[in-house]
Amino acid sequence: MINMFEKSLKKLANQVELSHLDTVQVMGILNVTPDSFSDGGKFANFDSALKQVELMITSGADIIDIGGESTRPGAIDVCEVDEIARVIPLLKAIKARFDVAVSIDTSKAVVMSEAIIHGTDMINDVRALQNEGCLDTVAQCDVQLCLMHMKGLPRTMQEKPHYENIIKDIVEFFTQRIENCVQRGINKQRLVLDPGFGFGKNLSHNFQMLAQLNQFKTLELPLLAGISRKSMLGDLLNRDVEQRLSGSITAAIVAIQQGASIIRVHDVAETVDALKVLKAVAQY
Ligand code: 7PM
């Protein structure tokens, strides 16, 4: 047990508590869209996708996030049939072969329903279950639900996003979504919140969210942060997508220090190393 004196020393040293760090989960990204921006769609092939999953698991991933719909600004919609064909066979194969949690990144009720039937542990929805039928589809089961904030729609969201007070706006959005979920009979404890880095936010919005991520802790739910290889790093550092590793790890560590419980990343091994360093420091 940590005493009051040790707690205040940690605060003075700006250190995170080990009890939080021990619960942090690393979510490895598996993009199965043909146009996945940072892995060139090279995992579109089933076997290489499974190899990538195995590598992420041996590197220490706790959750594998499978995304079959591109949310890239300007991306075109995939149809339900194509999205199901991309993600469900992989979900089944992962669940049959590995002992790892799986998250399905989708906004479509039918994909959610298929994912639930085939044993997904989490639904990760960048549209926060606002699409037709989503709330009803997920209400009947017990999988975790990640509600992400997005301002606008993927095609146009990066055209001059504006907020009066970004943190306040997102807290209000989350409060409303939590209420909608609870009204449909969804247990609040199933929810995870994500402010949605890069989804209708400019560079300073994104860094303000990272700096003040702990403000969302007032909603008393676990936080997920996805910053890995994003343009906020590319724009700040003036680096192409394959040169954003240092930026991604630094951002992940800051997010964890700000209270994030799940960190969504491409580079699992490197992020797990960084988290180990943070944990080693937090012992003292
Ligand atoms: C193209 C552009 C492909 C952007 C993929 C992306 C998040 C997410 C994504 C996030 C949650 C990426 C994004 N980002 N789900 N899905 N949080 N919960 O960079 O930040 O991976 S897709």
Side-chain angles (χ1 to χ4, degrees), residues 27 29 31 33 35-38 65 70-73 105 124-126 146 148 194 196-197 199 224-230 264 266:
M27 173 186 263
I29 302 171
N31 275 325
T33 54
D35 66 335
S36 307
F37 85 121
S38 60
D65 186 47
S70 185
T71 36
R72 187 222 307 274
D105 191 338
N124 171 23
D125 185 4
V126 299
C146 178
M148 198 196 77
D194 179 349
F197 290 92
F199 287 84
L224 187 152
I227 309 173
S228 184
R229 299 186 188 173
K230 281 192 177 168
R264 185 178 175 277
H266 298 87

Coordinates of all heavy atoms in Angstrom, one line a residue, residues 27 29 31 33 35-38 65 70-73 105 124-126 146 148 194 196-197 199 224-230 264 266, ligand 1:
M27 N -3.1 -1.6 -27.4 CA -4.0 -2.1 -28.4 C -3.2 -2.0 -29.8 O -2.8 -0.9 -30.1 CB -5.3 -1.2 -28.5 CG -6.2 -1.5 -29.7 SD -7.6 -0.3 -29.7 CE -8.8 -1.2 -28.9
I29 N -2.9 -2.1 -33.8 CA -3.7 -1.8 -34.9 C -3.5 -2.8 -36.1 O -2.4 -3.0 -36.5 CB -3.4 -0.4 -35.5 CG1 -3.7 0.7 -34.4 CG2 -4.3 -0.1 -36.7 CD1 -3.2 2.1 -34.7
N31 N -4.9 -2.9 -39.7 CA -5.8 -2.3 -40.8 C -5.9 -3.3 -41.9 O -5.0 -3.9 -42.4 CB -5.1 -1.1 -41.3 CG -5.5 0.1 -40.5 OD1 -6.6 0.3 -40.0 ND2 -4.5 1.1 -40.4
T33 N -8.0 -2.6 -44.5 CA -8.5 -1.8 -45.7 C -7.5 -1.8 -46.8 O -6.3 -1.8 -46.5 CB -8.9 -0.4 -45.3 OG1 -7.7 0.2 -44.8 CG2 -10.0 -0.3 -44.3
D35 N -6.6 0.5 -48.5 CA -5.9 1.8 -48.6 C -5.3 2.3 -47.3 O -5.0 3.4 -47.1 CB -6.8 2.9 -49.2 CG -7.9 3.2 -48.2 OD1 -8.3 2.3 -47.4 OD2 -8.5 4.3 -48.3
S36 N -5.1 1.3 -46.3 CA -4.6 1.7 -45.0 C -3.4 2.5 -45.1 O -2.4 2.1 -45.7 CB -4.3 0.4 -44.2 OG -5.3 -0.5 -44.2
F37 N -3.5 3.8 -44.6 CA -2.5 4.8 -44.9 C -1.1 4.5 -44.4 O -0.2 4.8 -45.1 CB -3.0 6.2 -44.5 CG -2.7 6.5 -43.1 CD1 -1.9 7.6 -42.8 CD2 -3.2 5.7 -42.0 CE1 -1.6 8.0 -41.5 CE2 -2.9 6.1 -40.7 CZ -2.1 7.2 -40.4
S38 N -1.0 3.9 -43.3 CA 0.4 3.8 -42.8 C 1.0 2.4 -42.9 O 2.1 2.2 -42.5 CB 0.4 4.2 -41.3 OG -0.4 3.4 -40.6
D65 N -6.9 -4.5 -32.6 CA -8.0 -3.7 -33.2 C -8.1 -3.9 -34.7 O -7.2 -3.5 -35.4 CB -7.8 -2.2 -32.8 CG -9.0 -1.3 -33.2 OD1 -10.1 -1.7 -32.9 OD2 -8.8 -0.3 -33.8
S70 N -12.1 2.4 -43.9 CA -11.2 3.5 -43.8 C -11.9 4.7 -43.3 O -12.9 5.2 -43.9 CB -10.4 3.7 -45.1 OG -9.5 4.7 -44.8
T71 N -11.3 5.3 -42.3 CA -11.9 6.6 -41.7 C -11.1 7.8 -42.1 O -11.3 8.9 -41.7 CB -12.0 6.5 -40.2 OG1 -10.9 5.8 -39.7 CG2 -13.3 5.8 -39.8
R72 N -10.1 7.5 -43.0 CA -9.2 8.6 -43.5 C -10.0 9.7 -44.0 O -11.0 9.6 -44.7 CB -8.3 8.0 -44.6 CG -7.2 8.9 -45.0 CD -7.0 9.0 -46.5 NE -6.8 7.7 -47.2 CZ -5.6 7.1 -47.3 NH1 -4.5 7.6 -46.8 NH2 -5.5 5.9 -48.0
P73 N -9.6 11.0 -43.7 CA -10.3 12.1 -44.3 C -10.3 12.0 -45.8 O -9.3 11.8 -46.5 CB -9.4 13.3 -43.9 CG -8.6 12.9 -42.7 CD -8.5 11.4 -42.8
D105 N -13.3 -2.4 -35.2 CA -13.4 -1.0 -35.5 C -14.5 -0.8 -36.6 O -14.2 -1.0 -37.8 CB -12.0 -0.5 -36.0 CG -11.9 1.0 -36.1 OD1 -12.9 1.7 -36.2 OD2 -10.7 1.5 -36.1
N124 N -15.2 -0.9 -31.4 CA -14.6 0.4 -31.4 C -15.2 1.3 -32.5 O -15.0 1.0 -33.7 CB -13.1 0.2 -31.7 CG -12.4 1.5 -31.9 OD1 -12.8 2.6 -31.5 ND2 -11.2 1.5 -32.6
D125 N -16.1 2.2 -32.1 CA -16.8 3.0 -33.1 C -16.5 4.5 -33.1 O -16.8 5.2 -32.2 CB -18.3 2.8 -32.8 CG -19.2 3.5 -33.9 OD1 -18.6 4.0 -34.9 OD2 -20.4 3.5 -33.7
V126 N -15.8 4.9 -34.2 CA -15.5 6.3 -34.4 C -16.7 7.2 -34.4 O -16.6 8.4 -34.3 CB -14.5 6.5 -35.6 CG1 -13.2 5.7 -35.4 CG2 -15.2 6.2 -36.9
C146 N -16.1 1.2 -27.2 CA -15.3 2.5 -27.3 C -16.1 3.5 -28.1 O -16.4 3.4 -29.2 CB -14.0 2.2 -27.9 SG -13.0 3.8 -28.0
M148 N -15.9 7.1 -29.6 CA -15.0 8.1 -30.0 C -15.7 9.4 -30.4 O -16.8 9.3 -31.0 CB -14.1 7.6 -31.1 CG -12.8 8.4 -31.3 SD -12.0 8.1 -32.9 CE -13.0 9.1 -33.9
D194 N -12.9 8.0 -26.0 CA -11.8 8.4 -26.8 C -12.1 9.7 -27.4 O -13.0 9.9 -28.2 CB -11.6 7.3 -27.9 CG -10.4 7.6 -28.8 OD1 -9.9 8.7 -28.8 OD2 -10.1 6.6 -29.6
G196 N -10.7 11.1 -29.8 CA -10.6 11.1 -31.3 C -9.6 12.0 -31.9 O -9.9 13.0 -32.6
F197 N -8.3 11.8 -31.6 CA -7.2 12.6 -32.2 C -7.3 12.6 -33.7 O -7.4 11.5 -34.3 CB -5.8 12.1 -31.7 CG -5.6 12.3 -30.2 CD1 -5.9 11.4 -29.3 CD2 -5.1 13.6 -29.8 CE1 -5.7 11.6 -27.9 CE2 -4.9 13.8 -28.5 CZ -5.2 12.8 -27.5
F199 N -9.7 13.6 -35.6 CA -11.0 13.5 -36.2 C -11.8 14.9 -36.0 O -12.5 15.0 -35.0 CB -11.8 12.4 -35.5 CG -11.3 11.0 -36.0 CD1 -10.2 10.4 -35.4 CD2 -12.0 10.4 -37.0 CE1 -9.8 9.1 -35.8 CE2 -11.5 9.1 -37.5 CZ -10.4 8.5 -36.9
L224 N -9.3 5.9 -23.9 CA -8.4 5.3 -25.0 C -7.8 6.5 -25.8 O -8.5 7.4 -26.1 CB -9.3 4.4 -25.9 CG -8.6 3.6 -27.0 CD1 -9.4 2.3 -27.2 CD2 -8.4 4.3 -28.3
A225 N -6.6 6.3 -26.2 CA -5.9 7.4 -27.0 C -5.3 6.7 -28.2 O -4.5 5.8 -28.1 CB -4.9 8.2 -26.2
G226 N -5.6 7.3 -29.4 CA -5.0 6.8 -30.6 C -4.3 8.0 -31.3 O -4.9 8.8 -31.9
I227 N -3.0 8.0 -31.2 CA -2.2 9.1 -31.7 C -1.1 8.6 -32.7 O -0.6 9.3 -33.6 CB -1.5 9.9 -30.6 CG1 -2.5 10.3 -29.5 CG2 -0.8 11.2 -31.2 CD1 -2.0 10.9 -28.3
S228 N -0.9 7.2 -32.7 CA 0.1 6.6 -33.4 C 0.2 7.0 -34.9 O -0.8 6.9 -35.6 CB -0.1 5.1 -33.3 OG 0.9 4.4 -34.0
R229 N 1.3 7.5 -35.3 CA 1.6 7.9 -36.7 C 0.7 9.0 -37.3 O 0.7 9.2 -38.5 CB 1.6 6.7 -37.6 CG 2.6 5.6 -37.2 CD 2.6 4.5 -38.3 NE 3.5 3.4 -37.8 CZ 3.5 2.2 -38.5 NH1 2.8 2.0 -39.6 NH2 4.3 1.2 -38.0
K230 N -0.1 9.6 -36.5 CA -1.1 10.5 -37.1 C -0.5 11.8 -37.6 O 0.6 12.2 -37.2 CB -2.2 10.8 -36.0 CG -3.2 9.7 -36.0 CD -4.4 9.9 -35.2 CE -5.4 8.7 -35.3 NZ -6.5 8.8 -34.4
R264 N -3.7 3.0 -28.4 CA -3.9 2.3 -29.7 C -2.7 2.7 -30.6 O -2.5 3.8 -31.0 CB -5.2 2.9 -30.3 CG -5.6 2.2 -31.6 CD -6.9 2.8 -32.1 NE -7.3 2.3 -33.4 CZ -6.9 2.8 -34.5 NH1 -6.1 3.8 -34.5 NH2 -7.3 2.2 -35.7
H266 N 0.5 1.4 -33.7 CA 1.0 0.5 -34.8 C 2.2 -0.3 -34.3 O 2.4 -1.4 -34.6 CB 1.4 1.3 -36.0 CG 0.3 2.1 -36.6 ND1 -0.1 3.3 -36.2 CD2 -0.5 1.7 -37.7 CE1 -1.1 3.7 -37.0 NE2 -1.4 2.8 -37.9
Ligands
7PM1 C1 -6.5 6.4 -42.4 C2 -6.6 7.6 -41.6 C3 -6.6 5.2 -41.8 C4 -6.8 7.5 -40.2 C5 -6.7 5.1 -40.4 C6 -6.9 6.3 -39.7 C7 -8.8 5.9 -34.2 C8 -9.7 4.8 -34.3 C9 -8.7 5.3 -36.2 C10 -8.7 6.6 -32.9 C11 -10.2 5.0 -32.1 C12 -5.7 5.7 -37.6 C13 -7.0 6.2 -38.2 N1 -8.2 6.2 -35.4 N2 -10.4 4.4 -33.3 N3 -9.6 4.5 -35.6 N4 -9.4 6.0 -31.9 N5 -10.9 4.5 -31.1 O1 -4.8 6.6 -37.6 O2 -7.9 7.5 -32.7 O3 -5.6 4.6 -37.2 S1 -8.4 5.1 -37.9

